[in-house]
């Protein structure tokens, strides 16, 4: 299981990989994810990825997303 910090870094990497240059709210999402006093909006991040990018996640990304949903669901 990931620590909170590891999970936040992983979400930031997903945002940068799939939303950077596509979603105008990308930088705001990164700021929210990096703020430890705020809840991680994992479902919102995944919805934005779906909206702006037709993604075929890797097996590792799917496992990571499953862990993140379990943590922040």
């Amino acid at each position: 299981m990931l620590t909170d910090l590891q999970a936040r870094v992983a979400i930031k990497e997903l945002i940068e990989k799939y939303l950077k240059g596509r979603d105008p709210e990308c930088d705001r999402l990164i700021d929210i994810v990096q703020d430890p006093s705020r809840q991680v909006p994992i479902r919102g991040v995944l919805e934005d990825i779906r909206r702006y990018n037709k993604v075929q996640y890797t097996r590792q990304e799917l496992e990571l997303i499953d862990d993140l949903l379990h943590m922040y669901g």
Side-chain angles (χ1 to χ4, degrees), residues 10 17 22 24 34-35 41 45 49 53-54 56 70:
K17 180 176 180 179
R22 293 180 176 94
Q34 290 180 323
D35 183 350
V45 169
I49 290 173
N53 205 336
K54 301 297 180 218
Q56 291 293 335
H70 180 71

Side-chain angles (χ1 to χ4, degrees), residues 20-61:
K20 198 74 156 178
R22 293 180 176 94
D23 182 358
E25 298 291 317
C26 178
D27 292 330
R28 189 177 74 77
L29 275 175
I30 290 172
D31 289 341
I32 291 170
V33 167
Q34 290 180 323
D35 183 350
S37 69
R38 295 186 71 170
Q39 177 68 24
V40 175
I42 186 62
R43 291 187 187 278
V45 169
L46 294 174
E47 287 174 16
D48 282 358
I49 290 173
R50 247 178 281 146
R51 181 180 312 131
Y52 290 102
N53 205 336
K54 301 297 180 218
V55 177
Q56 291 293 335
Y57 295 112
T58 66
R59 179 183 265 341
Q60 292 91 353
E61 288 172 335

